[in-house]
Amino acid sequence: MCKNIKQKILRIKELKSKTGLLTKKEIFELNSLIKELKELLREKLQEQQDIDFIIDIY
């Protein structure tokens, strides 16, 4: 999954660094990537919190 996150970040950077105006398709892709990335990071954070909780118990 980390590779997936890295790919999304790289694509976002690629779109944001593009000179000129973005097409509607690119804007939609950028918004979708940001939304997906937020969700993936939220899941990763929850997993880490769950792991920390389990470690605290033991």
Side-chain angles (χ1 to χ4, degrees):
M1 187 175 304
C2 279
K3 186 177 182 185
N4 196 7
I5 291 172
K6 188 173 185 175
Q7 288 173 333
K8 289 183 189 307
I9 291 171
L10 290 174
R11 181 63 181 145
I12 288 169
K13 283 183 176 182
E14 180 183 325
L15 285 169
K16 289 183 82 175
S17 68
K18 182 179 173 190
T19 57
L21 297 174
L22 295 176
T23 64
K24 284 184 179 182
K25 184 177 179 181
E26 289 169 329
I27 291 170
F28 181 77
E29 180 185 3
L30 183 59
N31 288 335
S32 295
L33 284 167
I34 291 170
K35 190 180 204 179
E36 291 169 19
L37 187 58
K38 282 181 180 179
E39 186 58 38
L40 286 170
L41 291 172
R42 194 173 291 124
E43 289 171 13
K44 284 288 190 191
L45 180 61
Q46 184 60 49
E47 288 172 12
Q48 186 60 48
Q49 288 173 343
D50 291 347
I51 290 169
D52 290 346
F53 179 73
I54 292 169
I55 289 172
D56 287 345
I57 290 175
Y58 295 105

Short mmCIF file of all heavy atoms in Angstrom, two decimals:
data_model
loop_
_atom_site.label_atom_id
_atom_site.label_comp_id
_atom_site.label_asym_id
_atom_site.label_seq_id
_atom_site.Cartn_x
_atom_site.Cartn_y
_atom_site.Cartn_z
N MET A 1 0.82 -1.20 0.00
CA MET A 1 0.00 0.00 0.00
C MET A 1 0.86 1.26 0.00
O MET A 1 0.46 2.28 -0.55
CB MET A 1 -0.95 0.00 1.19
CG MET A 1 -1.93 1.16 1.11
SD MET A 1 -3.21 1.25 2.35
CE MET A 1 -4.02 -0.28 2.24
N CYS A 2 2.03 1.21 0.60
CA CYS A 2 2.91 2.38 0.61
C CYS A 2 3.29 2.80 -0.80
O CYS A 2 3.38 3.98 -1.10
CB CYS A 2 4.17 2.11 1.42
SG CYS A 2 3.90 2.30 3.19
N LYS A 3 3.50 1.82 -1.66
CA LYS A 3 3.83 2.13 -3.05
C LYS A 3 2.68 2.89 -3.70
O LYS A 3 2.89 3.84 -4.44
CB LYS A 3 4.13 0.84 -3.81
CG LYS A 3 4.62 1.06 -5.22
CD LYS A 3 4.95 -0.25 -5.89
CE LYS A 3 5.50 0.00 -7.28
NZ LYS A 3 5.72 -1.23 -8.01
N ASN A 4 1.47 2.47 -3.39
CA ASN A 4 0.28 3.12 -3.91
C ASN A 4 0.21 4.58 -3.45
O ASN A 4 -0.09 5.47 -4.23
CB ASN A 4 -0.96 2.35 -3.47
CG ASN A 4 -2.19 2.72 -4.26
OD1 ASN A 4 -2.14 3.45 -5.23
ND2 ASN A 4 -3.32 2.21 -3.83
N ILE A 5 0.51 4.82 -2.18
CA ILE A 5 0.52 6.17 -1.64
C ILE A 5 1.58 7.01 -2.34
O ILE A 5 1.33 8.14 -2.75
CB ILE A 5 0.75 6.16 -0.11
CG1 ILE A 5 -0.48 5.56 0.59
CG2 ILE A 5 1.03 7.55 0.42
CD1 ILE A 5 -0.30 5.33 2.07
N LYS A 6 2.77 6.44 -2.51
CA LYS A 6 3.86 7.16 -3.16
C LYS A 6 3.49 7.51 -4.60
O LYS A 6 3.75 8.62 -5.07
CB LYS A 6 5.14 6.33 -3.12
CG LYS A 6 6.35 7.07 -3.59
CD LYS A 6 7.61 6.27 -3.36
CE LYS A 6 8.82 7.10 -3.72
NZ LYS A 6 10.06 6.40 -3.41
N GLN A 7 2.87 6.58 -5.31
CA GLN A 7 2.45 6.83 -6.69
C GLN A 7 1.45 7.98 -6.75
O GLN A 7 1.52 8.82 -7.64
CB GLN A 7 1.85 5.57 -7.30
CG GLN A 7 2.86 4.50 -7.61
CD GLN A 7 2.20 3.20 -8.06
OE1 GLN A 7 1.07 2.90 -7.71
NE2 GLN A 7 2.94 2.43 -8.84
N LYS A 8 0.51 7.99 -5.82
CA LYS A 8 -0.50 9.05 -5.80
C LYS A 8 0.16 10.41 -5.54
O LYS A 8 -0.17 11.40 -6.19
CB LYS A 8 -1.56 8.76 -4.75
CG LYS A 8 -2.48 7.61 -5.13
CD LYS A 8 -3.55 7.40 -4.09
CE LYS A 8 -4.35 6.15 -4.34
NZ LYS A 8 -4.92 5.99 -5.65
N ILE A 9 1.08 10.45 -4.60
CA ILE A 9 1.78 11.70 -4.29
C ILE A 9 2.56 12.19 -5.50
O ILE A 9 2.53 13.38 -5.84
CB ILE A 9 2.70 11.53 -3.06
CG1 ILE A 9 1.85 11.34 -1.81
CG2 ILE A 9 3.64 12.73 -2.90
CD1 ILE A 9 2.65 10.94 -0.58
N LEU A 10 3.26 11.27 -6.17
CA LEU A 10 4.03 11.66 -7.35
C LEU A 10 3.13 12.19 -8.46
O LEU A 10 3.46 13.17 -9.13
CB LEU A 10 4.86 10.47 -7.86
CG LEU A 10 6.03 10.05 -6.97
CD1 LEU A 10 6.68 8.78 -7.50
CD2 LEU A 10 7.05 11.17 -6.85
N ARG A 11 1.98 11.56 -8.66
CA ARG A 11 1.04 12.03 -9.70
C ARG A 11 0.47 13.40 -9.33
O ARG A 11 0.32 14.27 -10.19
CB ARG A 11 -0.08 11.00 -9.89
CG ARG A 11 -1.08 11.38 -10.96
CD ARG A 11 -0.46 11.47 -12.33
NE ARG A 11 -1.47 11.87 -13.31
CZ ARG A 11 -1.25 12.64 -14.35
NH1 ARG A 11 -0.03 13.07 -14.59
NH2 ARG A 11 -2.22 12.97 -15.16
N ILE A 12 0.17 13.61 -8.04
CA ILE A 12 -0.32 14.92 -7.60
C ILE A 12 0.73 15.99 -7.87
O ILE A 12 0.43 17.06 -8.41
CB ILE A 12 -0.70 14.89 -6.10
CG1 ILE A 12 -1.98 14.06 -5.90
CG2 ILE A 12 -0.89 16.30 -5.55
CD1 ILE A 12 -2.29 13.74 -4.44
N LYS A 13 1.98 15.69 -7.53
CA LYS A 13 3.07 16.64 -7.77
C LYS A 13 3.21 16.93 -9.27
O LYS A 13 3.42 18.07 -9.67
CB LYS A 13 4.40 16.09 -7.23
CG LYS A 13 4.54 16.20 -5.75
CD LYS A 13 5.91 15.71 -5.31
CE LYS A 13 6.12 15.89 -3.84
NZ LYS A 13 7.47 15.46 -3.42
N GLU A 14 3.08 15.88 -10.06
CA GLU A 14 3.19 16.03 -11.52
C GLU A 14 2.09 16.96 -12.05
O GLU A 14 2.36 17.86 -12.84
CB GLU A 14 3.08 14.65 -12.17
CG GLU A 14 3.18 14.64 -13.67
CD GLU A 14 2.99 13.23 -14.23
OE1 GLU A 14 3.43 12.26 -13.59
OE2 GLU A 14 2.40 13.12 -15.31
N LEU A 15 0.87 16.75 -11.59
CA LEU A 15 -0.25 17.58 -12.04
C LEU A 15 -0.10 19.02 -11.55
O LEU A 15 -0.36 19.97 -12.30
CB LEU A 15 -1.59 17.01 -11.56
CG LEU A 15 -2.09 15.77 -12.29
CD1 LEU A 15 -3.26 15.15 -11.55
CD2 LEU A 15 -2.48 16.11 -13.72
N LYS A 16 0.34 19.19 -10.30
CA LYS A 16 0.46 20.54 -9.75
C LYS A 16 1.60 21.32 -10.38
O LYS A 16 1.57 22.55 -10.42
CB LYS A 16 0.63 20.46 -8.23
CG LYS A 16 -0.64 20.04 -7.51
CD LYS A 16 -0.47 20.05 -6.03
CE LYS A 16 -0.65 21.46 -5.55
NZ LYS A 16 -0.61 21.58 -4.10
N SER A 17 2.62 20.64 -10.89
CA SER A 17 3.77 21.33 -11.46
C SER A 17 3.56 21.65 -12.94
O SER A 17 4.38 22.32 -13.55
CB SER A 17 5.04 20.50 -11.28
OG SER A 17 4.98 19.33 -12.06
N LYS A 18 2.48 21.15 -13.50
CA LYS A 18 2.19 21.36 -14.91
C LYS A 18 2.00 22.86 -15.18
O LYS A 18 1.30 23.54 -14.44
CB LYS A 18 0.93 20.59 -15.30
CG LYS A 18 0.57 20.70 -16.75
CD LYS A 18 -0.67 19.90 -17.06
CE LYS A 18 -1.07 20.18 -18.51
NZ LYS A 18 -2.37 19.64 -18.81
N THR A 19 2.65 23.33 -16.21
CA THR A 19 2.48 24.74 -16.57
C THR A 19 1.20 24.89 -17.37
O THR A 19 0.76 23.99 -18.08
CB THR A 19 3.68 25.25 -17.39
OG1 THR A 19 3.83 24.42 -18.55
CG2 THR A 19 4.95 25.21 -16.58
N GLY A 20 0.59 26.02 -17.24
CA GLY A 20 -0.67 26.26 -17.94
C GLY A 20 -1.85 25.76 -17.14
O GLY A 20 -1.73 25.30 -16.01
N LEU A 21 -3.00 25.85 -17.73
CA LEU A 21 -4.23 25.45 -17.06
C LEU A 21 -4.42 23.94 -17.15
O LEU A 21 -4.06 23.31 -18.13
CB LEU A 21 -5.43 26.14 -17.71
CG LEU A 21 -5.45 27.67 -17.62
CD1 LEU A 21 -6.63 28.22 -18.42
CD2 LEU A 21 -5.54 28.12 -16.19
N LEU A 22 -5.01 23.40 -16.10
CA LEU A 22 -5.35 21.98 -16.10
C LEU A 22 -6.67 21.79 -16.84
O LEU A 22 -7.55 22.64 -16.77
CB LEU A 22 -5.49 21.45 -14.68
CG LEU A 22 -4.24 21.45 -13.80
CD1 LEU A 22 -4.60 20.99 -12.39
CD2 LEU A 22 -3.17 20.56 -14.36
N THR A 23 -6.79 20.66 -17.51
CA THR A 23 -8.06 20.34 -18.15
C THR A 23 -9.04 19.89 -17.07
O THR A 23 -8.65 19.59 -15.95
CB THR A 23 -7.90 19.20 -19.18
OG1 THR A 23 -7.50 18.02 -18.48
CG2 THR A 23 -6.87 19.55 -20.24
N LYS A 24 -10.32 19.85 -17.43
CA LYS A 24 -11.33 19.39 -16.47
C LYS A 24 -11.00 17.97 -16.01
O LYS A 24 -11.16 17.65 -14.84
CB LYS A 24 -12.73 19.43 -17.09
CG LYS A 24 -13.31 20.80 -17.19
CD LYS A 24 -14.73 20.76 -17.71
CE LYS A 24 -15.32 22.14 -17.77
NZ LYS A 24 -16.71 22.13 -18.22
N LYS A 25 -10.54 17.15 -16.93
CA LYS A 25 -10.20 15.76 -16.60
C LYS A 25 -9.05 15.72 -15.59
O LYS A 25 -9.08 14.95 -14.63
CB LYS A 25 -9.82 15.01 -17.87
CG LYS A 25 -9.56 13.54 -17.66
CD LYS A 25 -9.26 12.84 -18.98
CE LYS A 25 -8.98 11.37 -18.73
NZ LYS A 25 -8.67 10.65 -19.96
N GLU A 26 -8.04 16.57 -15.79
CA GLU A 26 -6.90 16.61 -14.88
C GLU A 26 -7.31 17.15 -13.50
O GLU A 26 -6.84 16.66 -12.48
CB GLU A 26 -5.77 17.47 -15.46
CG GLU A 26 -5.09 16.81 -16.64
CD GLU A 26 -4.16 17.74 -17.38
OE1 GLU A 26 -4.41 18.97 -17.42
OE2 GLU A 26 -3.17 17.24 -17.93
N ILE A 27 -8.18 18.15 -13.48
CA ILE A 27 -8.67 18.68 -12.21
C ILE A 27 -9.44 17.60 -11.46
O ILE A 27 -9.25 17.41 -10.26
CB ILE A 27 -9.56 19.93 -12.44
CG1 ILE A 27 -8.69 21.08 -12.95
CG2 ILE A 27 -10.29 20.33 -11.17
CD1 ILE A 27 -9.46 22.28 -13.44
N PHE A 28 -10.29 16.88 -12.17
CA PHE A 28 -11.05 15.79 -11.56
C PHE A 28 -10.09 14.72 -11.02
O PHE A 28 -10.26 14.24 -9.91
CB PHE A 28 -12.01 15.17 -12.58
CG PHE A 28 -12.83 14.06 -12.01
CD1 PHE A 28 -13.92 14.32 -11.18
CD2 PHE A 28 -12.51 12.73 -12.28
CE1 PHE A 28 -14.66 13.28 -10.63
CE2 PHE A 28 -13.26 11.70 -11.75
CZ PHE A 28 -14.33 11.97 -10.92
N GLU A 29 -9.07 14.38 -11.81
CA GLU A 29 -8.08 13.39 -11.39
C GLU A 29 -7.34 13.87 -10.14
O GLU A 29 -7.15 13.11 -9.19
CB GLU A 29 -7.07 13.11 -12.50
CG GLU A 29 -6.02 12.08 -12.12
CD GLU A 29 -4.95 11.87 -13.17
OE1 GLU A 29 -4.95 12.56 -14.22
OE2 GLU A 29 -4.10 11.01 -12.93
N LEU A 30 -6.94 15.13 -10.13
CA LEU A 30 -6.23 15.71 -8.99
C LEU A 30 -7.09 15.65 -7.73
O LEU A 30 -6.62 15.20 -6.68
CB LEU A 30 -5.83 17.15 -9.30
CG LEU A 30 -5.01 17.89 -8.27
CD1 LEU A 30 -3.69 17.18 -7.98
CD2 LEU A 30 -4.75 19.32 -8.72
N ASN A 31 -8.34 16.06 -7.84
CA ASN A 31 -9.25 16.02 -6.68
C ASN A 31 -9.47 14.59 -6.20
O ASN A 31 -9.49 14.33 -5.00
CB ASN A 31 -10.59 16.68 -7.03
CG ASN A 31 -10.46 18.18 -7.12
OD1 ASN A 31 -9.59 18.78 -6.53
ND2 ASN A 31 -11.34 18.79 -7.89
N SER A 32 -9.62 13.67 -7.14
CA SER A 32 -9.81 12.26 -6.78
C SER A 32 -8.57 11.69 -6.08
O SER A 32 -8.69 10.98 -5.09
CB SER A 32 -10.12 11.42 -8.02
OG SER A 32 -11.34 11.79 -8.58
N LEU A 33 -7.40 12.03 -6.61
CA LEU A 33 -6.16 11.54 -6.00
C LEU A 33 -6.01 12.07 -4.58
O LEU A 33 -5.62 11.32 -3.67
CB LEU A 33 -4.95 11.97 -6.84
CG LEU A 33 -4.70 11.20 -8.12
CD1 LEU A 33 -3.69 11.93 -8.99
CD2 LEU A 33 -4.23 9.79 -7.82
N ILE A 34 -6.30 13.33 -4.38
CA ILE A 34 -6.18 13.93 -3.05
C ILE A 34 -7.16 13.25 -2.09
O ILE A 34 -6.80 12.91 -0.96
CB ILE A 34 -6.41 15.45 -3.11
CG1 ILE A 34 -5.23 16.12 -3.83
CG2 ILE A 34 -6.58 16.04 -1.71
CD1 ILE A 34 -5.43 17.57 -4.17
N LYS A 35 -8.38 13.02 -2.54
CA LYS A 35 -9.39 12.36 -1.72
C LYS A 35 -8.95 10.93 -1.36
O LYS A 35 -9.03 10.52 -0.20
CB LYS A 35 -10.71 12.33 -2.50
CG LYS A 35 -11.90 11.90 -1.71
CD LYS A 35 -13.12 11.94 -2.64
CE LYS A 35 -14.39 12.10 -1.90
NZ LYS A 35 -15.55 12.15 -2.80
N GLU A 36 -8.46 10.18 -2.36
CA GLU A 36 -7.99 8.81 -2.12
C GLU A 36 -6.81 8.80 -1.17
O GLU A 36 -6.71 7.95 -0.29
CB GLU A 36 -7.60 8.15 -3.44
CG GLU A 36 -8.75 7.85 -4.36
CD GLU A 36 -8.30 7.44 -5.75
OE1 GLU A 36 -7.13 7.03 -5.92
OE2 GLU A 36 -9.12 7.53 -6.68
N LEU A 37 -5.90 9.75 -1.35
CA LEU A 37 -4.71 9.83 -0.50
C LEU A 37 -5.09 10.12 0.94
O LEU A 37 -4.56 9.51 1.87
CB LEU A 37 -3.77 10.91 -1.03
CG LEU A 37 -2.41 11.01 -0.38
CD1 LEU A 37 -1.63 9.71 -0.47
CD2 LEU A 37 -1.61 12.14 -1.00
N LYS A 38 -6.02 11.03 1.15
CA LYS A 38 -6.50 11.34 2.51
C LYS A 38 -7.06 10.09 3.17
O LYS A 38 -6.79 9.81 4.33
CB LYS A 38 -7.57 12.43 2.47
CG LYS A 38 -7.04 13.81 2.28
CD LYS A 38 -8.20 14.81 2.28
CE LYS A 38 -7.73 16.22 2.09
NZ LYS A 38 -8.85 17.17 2.06
N GLU A 39 -7.85 9.32 2.42
CA GLU A 39 -8.46 8.11 2.96
C GLU A 39 -7.39 7.06 3.29
O GLU A 39 -7.44 6.43 4.36
CB GLU A 39 -9.48 7.53 1.98
CG GLU A 39 -10.25 6.35 2.52
CD GLU A 39 -11.02 6.64 3.80
OE1 GLU A 39 -11.57 7.74 3.94
OE2 GLU A 39 -11.06 5.76 4.67
N LEU A 40 -6.42 6.88 2.40
CA LEU A 40 -5.35 5.92 2.66
C LEU A 40 -4.54 6.32 3.90
O LEU A 40 -4.21 5.47 4.73
CB LEU A 40 -4.41 5.83 1.45
CG LEU A 40 -4.94 5.09 0.24
CD1 LEU A 40 -4.00 5.29 -0.95
CD2 LEU A 40 -5.10 3.61 0.52
N LEU A 41 -4.25 7.60 4.01
CA LEU A 41 -3.48 8.07 5.17
C LEU A 41 -4.29 7.94 6.46
O LEU A 41 -3.74 7.60 7.51
CB LEU A 41 -3.03 9.51 4.95
CG LEU A 41 -1.98 9.69 3.85
CD1 LEU A 41 -1.73 11.16 3.59
CD2 LEU A 41 -0.68 8.98 4.20
N ARG A 42 -5.59 8.18 6.37
CA ARG A 42 -6.46 8.02 7.54
C ARG A 42 -6.45 6.55 8.00
O ARG A 42 -6.36 6.26 9.19
CB ARG A 42 -7.88 8.46 7.17
CG ARG A 42 -8.79 8.66 8.35
CD ARG A 42 -10.13 9.26 7.92
NE ARG A 42 -9.97 10.63 7.48
CZ ARG A 42 -10.36 11.10 6.28
NH1 ARG A 42 -10.93 10.32 5.41
NH2 ARG A 42 -10.18 12.36 5.96
N GLU A 43 -6.51 5.62 7.02
CA GLU A 43 -6.46 4.19 7.35
C GLU A 43 -5.13 3.82 7.99
O GLU A 43 -5.08 3.07 8.97
CB GLU A 43 -6.68 3.36 6.09
CG GLU A 43 -8.09 3.40 5.55
CD GLU A 43 -8.21 2.73 4.19
OE1 GLU A 43 -7.27 2.01 3.77
OE2 GLU A 43 -9.25 2.94 3.54
N LYS A 44 -4.03 4.34 7.43
CA LYS A 44 -2.70 4.05 7.97
C LYS A 44 -2.57 4.57 9.40
O LYS A 44 -2.01 3.91 10.27
CB LYS A 44 -1.60 4.69 7.11
CG LYS A 44 -1.33 3.95 5.85
CD LYS A 44 -0.63 2.66 6.16
CE LYS A 44 -0.14 2.00 4.90
NZ LYS A 44 0.31 0.65 5.17
N LEU A 45 -3.09 5.77 9.64
CA LEU A 45 -3.04 6.36 10.97
C LEU A 45 -3.83 5.50 11.96
O LEU A 45 -3.37 5.23 13.07
CB LEU A 45 -3.59 7.78 10.95
CG LEU A 45 -3.61 8.51 12.28
CD1 LEU A 45 -2.20 8.65 12.85
CD2 LEU A 45 -4.26 9.88 12.13
N GLN A 46 -5.00 5.05 11.54
CA GLN A 46 -5.82 4.20 12.41
C GLN A 46 -5.11 2.89 12.71
O GLN A 46 -5.11 2.43 13.85
CB GLN A 46 -7.19 3.92 11.76
CG GLN A 46 -8.12 3.12 12.66
CD GLN A 46 -8.42 3.82 13.97
OE1 GLN A 46 -8.77 4.99 13.96
NE2 GLN A 46 -8.27 3.14 15.08
N GLU A 47 -4.48 2.29 11.70
CA GLU A 47 -3.72 1.05 11.92
C GLU A 47 -2.61 1.28 12.94
O GLU A 47 -2.40 0.47 13.83
CB GLU A 47 -3.10 0.56 10.60
CG GLU A 47 -4.09 -0.02 9.63
CD GLU A 47 -3.46 -0.32 8.27
OE1 GLU A 47 -2.21 -0.30 8.16
OE2 GLU A 47 -4.22 -0.59 7.33
N GLN A 48 -1.90 2.40 12.81
CA GLN A 48 -0.80 2.70 13.73
C GLN A 48 -1.33 2.91 15.14
O GLN A 48 -0.73 2.45 16.11
CB GLN A 48 -0.03 3.95 13.27
CG GLN A 48 1.19 4.23 14.10
CD GLN A 48 2.20 3.09 14.09
OE1 GLN A 48 2.53 2.59 13.02
NE2 GLN A 48 2.67 2.69 15.23
N GLN A 49 -2.46 3.59 15.27
CA GLN A 49 -3.05 3.81 16.59
C GLN A 49 -3.49 2.48 17.21
O GLN A 49 -3.33 2.27 18.41
CB GLN A 49 -4.23 4.77 16.49
CG GLN A 49 -3.80 6.19 16.23
CD GLN A 49 -4.95 7.13 15.95
OE1 GLN A 49 -6.08 6.72 15.64
NE2 GLN A 49 -4.68 8.42 16.04
N ASP A 50 -4.03 1.59 16.38
CA ASP A 50 -4.43 0.26 16.87
C ASP A 50 -3.20 -0.51 17.36
O ASP A 50 -3.24 -1.16 18.41
CB ASP A 50 -5.14 -0.54 15.77
CG ASP A 50 -6.50 0.03 15.42
OD1 ASP A 50 -7.01 0.88 16.18
OD2 ASP A 50 -7.06 -0.38 14.38
N ILE A 51 -2.12 -0.45 16.60
CA ILE A 51 -0.88 -1.14 16.98
C ILE A 51 -0.34 -0.57 18.29
O ILE A 51 0.03 -1.32 19.21
CB ILE A 51 0.18 -1.03 15.85
CG1 ILE A 51 -0.28 -1.88 14.65
CG2 ILE A 51 1.56 -1.47 16.36
CD1 ILE A 51 0.55 -1.63 13.39
N ASP A 52 -0.33 0.76 18.39
CA ASP A 52 0.16 1.40 19.62
C ASP A 52 -0.70 0.98 20.82
O ASP A 52 -0.17 0.74 21.91
CB ASP A 52 0.13 2.93 19.48
CG ASP A 52 1.19 3.44 18.50
OD1 ASP A 52 2.10 2.67 18.15
OD2 ASP A 52 1.08 4.61 18.10
N PHE A 53 -2.00 0.90 20.64
CA PHE A 53 -2.90 0.50 21.71
C PHE A 53 -2.60 -0.92 22.16
O PHE A 53 -2.53 -1.21 23.35
CB PHE A 53 -4.36 0.61 21.23
CG PHE A 53 -5.37 0.20 22.26
CD1 PHE A 53 -5.64 1.01 23.36
CD2 PHE A 53 -6.04 -1.00 22.14
CE1 PHE A 53 -6.56 0.63 24.32
CE2 PHE A 53 -6.97 -1.39 23.09
CZ PHE A 53 -7.23 -0.58 24.18
N ILE A 54 -2.41 -1.83 21.20
CA ILE A 54 -2.10 -3.22 21.53
C ILE A 54 -0.76 -3.31 22.26
O ILE A 54 -0.64 -4.03 23.25
CB ILE A 54 -2.09 -4.09 20.25
CG1 ILE A 54 -3.52 -4.19 19.69
CG2 ILE A 54 -1.50 -5.47 20.54
CD1 ILE A 54 -3.60 -4.79 18.29
N ILE A 55 0.23 -2.56 21.81
CA ILE A 55 1.54 -2.57 22.47
C ILE A 55 1.42 -2.05 23.89
O ILE A 55 2.01 -2.59 24.82
CB ILE A 55 2.55 -1.70 21.66
CG1 ILE A 55 2.89 -2.43 20.36
CG2 ILE A 55 3.81 -1.41 22.48
CD1 ILE A 55 3.72 -1.62 19.38
N ASP A 56 0.61 -1.00 24.10
CA ASP A 56 0.40 -0.45 25.45
C ASP A 56 -0.22 -1.47 26.39
O ASP A 56 0.07 -1.50 27.58
CB ASP A 56 -0.46 0.81 25.39
CG ASP A 56 0.29 2.01 24.83
OD1 ASP A 56 1.54 1.94 24.74
OD2 ASP A 56 -0.37 3.00 24.47
N ILE A 57 -1.12 -2.29 25.84
CA ILE A 57 -1.79 -3.30 26.66
C ILE A 57 -0.78 -4.32 27.18
O ILE A 57 -0.82 -4.72 28.32
CB ILE A 57 -2.92 -4.01 25.86
CG1 ILE A 57 -4.07 -3.04 25.61
CG2 ILE A 57 -3.39 -5.26 26.59
CD1 ILE A 57 -5.17 -3.59 24.74
N TYR A 58 0.15 -4.71 26.32
CA TYR A 58 1.13 -5.70 26.72
C TYR A 58 2.34 -5.02 27.28
O TYR A 58 3.14 -5.48 27.95
CB TYR A 58 1.52 -6.58 25.50
CG TYR A 58 0.34 -7.39 25.03
CD1 TYR A 58 -0.36 -7.07 23.88
CD2 TYR A 58 -0.08 -8.50 25.76
CE1 TYR A 58 -1.44 -7.82 23.46
CE2 TYR A 58 -1.16 -9.25 25.34
CZ TYR A 58 -1.83 -8.91 24.20
OH TYR A 58 -2.90 -9.64 23.77
#
